[in-house]
Amino acid sequence: MAFAPMGPEVSFFEVLDQHRASLLATLRRGGREPAGGGTHLASRFEDSVGLQMVSHCTTRKIKSDSPKSVKNFALILKILSMIYKLVQSNTYATKRDIYYTDSQLFGNQAIVDNIINDISCMLKVPRRCLHILSTSKGLIAGNLRYIEEGGTKVNCSCATAVAVPSNIQGIRNLITDAKFLLIVEKDATFQRLLDDNFCSKISPCVMVTGKGVPDLNTRLLVKKLWDTFHIPIFTLVDADPHGIEIMCIYKYGSMSMSFEAHNLTVPAIRWLGLLPSDIKRLNIPKDTLIPMTKRDQMKLDSILKRPYVTCQPFWRKEMEIMADSKMKAEIQALTFLSSDYLSRVYLPNKLKFGGWI
């Protein structure tokens, strides 16, 4: 069933449609970005996939007869036995469920998380193949419908957002007429856009937020929407190193999950805002900006040294603007111009005239 057309006139989406045609042409050529990649630590960067684990990376051994690793070895066996039972019974559990089966034995949740990641990496299978699910914290709203694994029909076009499912692999019959997907860094910004009826005013579209650093399910959902519909995907993040880092996780992946890059990354993602150059262009007052801390500067320097920045000269230019100014800005800085400037002016103009990089 199709969605009823709403929002701006058809000509509004002309540049977006051209961008999608360009993305589809890139896919037909083999999915590669215009420029090449490089290498970095234990991960190899490939522009069509993101950060991937290399075969000759450093490994560590855990021995059953070593006093230093005997406990960790025992915990791995404990979790492997639980995974075996889950697979045999075709049931699922969250990492939190596993931790609470014997919280005193495991000590803390981080130990369980790390062991599960190690097992997934060791066996070279996605975590969901181990029948272990992550607890979702992300939200989705807009022009999208699907059926969950248990048969529940979900309509994301309601006034309130829908929680990202915990089993992305199990959802089916996805339907959308969306022209684009907008990834919003922060929940507060996401909720403000909902309050401003952004999804209705710029319909058809879909919005997703991972509420900061995205959880695995939010990343899997973004990847699934890209693989299914191949619509343009944009990020809306703060003009600071933390926001850029979050955008890079969606687009290129992370070192810790590089062994699963093919299932998580979407290199076609584009940076819509907030761009550091927008701060000067829009005459945002300096008293609404925030001085960068030493930690911010170290994070920005680290990002600038990453291999994928070599194929993103416009990203590099924006980050250099930030580094030179030694200032950062939150998306909320736009409220100085007007309370609804983000949804009424900033995003519509960016989308209509191709203001992404």
Side-chain angles (χ1 to χ4, degrees):
M1 180 179 177
F3 291 87
M6 293 176 66
E9 63 277 6
V10 176
S11 61
F12 177 90
F13 296 111
E14 185 176 342
V15 176
L16 270 171
D17 289 340
Q18 291 172 2
H19 177 50
R20 187 185 184 210
S22 174
L23 293 174
L24 292 173
T26 300
L27 283 173
R28 286 192 290 271
R29 291 196 302 268
R32 297 185 66 83
E33 296 281 342
T39 59
H40 184 66
L41 297 178
S43 294
R44 179 182 74 250
F45 169 66
E46 185 177 322
D47 48 17
S48 62
V49 178
L51 290 172
Q52 300 179 87
M53 187 175 69
V54 295
S55 57
H56 57 274
C57 63
T58 303
T59 59
R60 58 188 173 90
K61 294 181 179 179
I62 300 173
K63 299 180 179 180
S64 61
D65 58 352
S66 169
K68 290 184 178 179
S69 60
V70 64
K71 182 179 179 181
N72 200 25
F73 185 84
L75 292 178
I76 290 173
L77 289 181
K78 170 75 171 176
I79 293 178
L80 277 170
S81 70
M82 296 174 71
I83 290 170
Y84 176 77
K85 291 176 183 176
L86 289 170
V87 174
Q88 285 290 95
S89 62
N90 195 28
T91 55
Y92 291 83
T94 66
K95 293 184 295 182
R96 200 71 176 157
D97 293 334
I98 289 176
Y99 168 68
Y100 277 116
T101 59
D102 200 331
S103 59
Q104 287 189 332
L105 174 66
F106 292 122
N108 61 67
Q109 183 69 56
I111 290 174
V112 173
D113 295 351
N114 291 334
I115 289 175
I116 291 170
N117 285 342
D118 287 345
I119 291 172
S120 181
C121 183
M122 178 176 65
L123 299 179
K124 297 181 180 179
V125 295
R127 190 189 304 164
R128 58 194 172 277
C129 291
L130 305 177
H131 283 229
I132 296 175
L133 306 175
S134 298
T135 303
S136 297
K137 65 170 182 170
L139 298 172
I140 184 166
N143 191 291
L144 179 68
R145 292 175 185 160
Y146 57 85
I147 300 176
E148 291 185 332
E149 185 180 35
T152 303
K153 295 181 179 180
V154 179
N155 184 353
C156 302
S157 61
C158 301
T160 56
V162 174
V164 170
S166 59
N167 188 357
I168 301 300
Q169 191 179 30
I171 65 175
R172 63 186 190 277
N173 293 13
L174 288 88
I175 301 172
T176 186
D177 296 320
K179 291 287 189 178
F180 65 93
L181 167 63
L182 180 65
I183 299 171
V184 183
E185 175 192 352
K186 297 190 298 190
D187 184 40
T189 306
F190 182 88
Q191 297 297 338
R192 180 56 199 258
L193 290 172
L194 282 181
D195 291 343
D196 289 347
N197 293 317
F198 177 78
C199 287
S200 298
K201 293 175 182 175
I202 312 296
S203 178
C205 71
V206 175
M207 291 198 310
V208 170
T209 181
K211 297 183 180 180
V213 177
D215 59 280
L216 183 64
N217 289 324
T218 302
R219 293 175 63 188
L220 285 169
L221 177 63
V222 170
K223 173 67 171 175
K224 190 176 186 76
L225 291 174
W226 165 250
D227 287 344
T228 305
F229 301 111
H230 293 125
I231 56 174
I233 303 178
F234 305 108
T235 55
L236 177 64
V237 299
D238 287 337
D240 64 15
H242 185 68
I244 295 172
E245 177 75 278
I246 288 171
M247 174 173 58
C248 291
I249 290 173
Y250 282 108
K251 185 175 175 74
Y252 293 122
S254 60
M255 293 286 288
S256 62
M257 296 295 290
S258 57
F259 63 90
E260 206 178 337
H262 283 276
N263 299 313
L264 293 172
T265 60
V266 185
I269 287 173
R270 297 294 184 264
W271 186 2
L272 187 65
L274 182 64
L275 302 180
S277 60
D278 290 336
I279 296 169
K280 183 177 180 180
R281 181 177 62 85
L282 298 173
N283 294 316
I284 297 174
K286 284 190 176 182
D287 59 5
T288 64
L289 307 181
I290 306 168
M292 286 177 61
T293 64
K294 188 174 181 180
R295 190 173 181 179
D296 288 330
Q297 292 171 352
M298 290 174 62
K299 169 65 75 176
L300 188 59
D301 290 342
S302 170
I303 296 172
L304 282 165
K305 292 174 183 175
R306 293 178 189 175
Y308 44 72
V309 175
T310 60
C311 22
Q312 295 291 345
F314 295 111
W315 281 31
R316 172 176 286 277
K317 184 177 179 181
E318 292 293 333
M319 285 186 267
E320 287 173 348
I321 291 172
M322 186 188 300
D324 291 343
S325 70
K326 293 183 171 55
M327 302 295 282
K328 59 184 181 178
E330 296 183 334
I331 297 167
Q332 284 76 11
L334 294 174
T335 58
F336 170 82
L337 302 171
S338 73
S339 61
D340 61 347
Y341 189 85
L342 175 66
S343 62
R344 182 176 56 84
V345 180
Y346 183 80
L347 289 176
N349 283 343
K350 284 264 185 172
L351 293 164
K352 183 175 182 178
F353 300 109
W356 54 78
I357 58 175

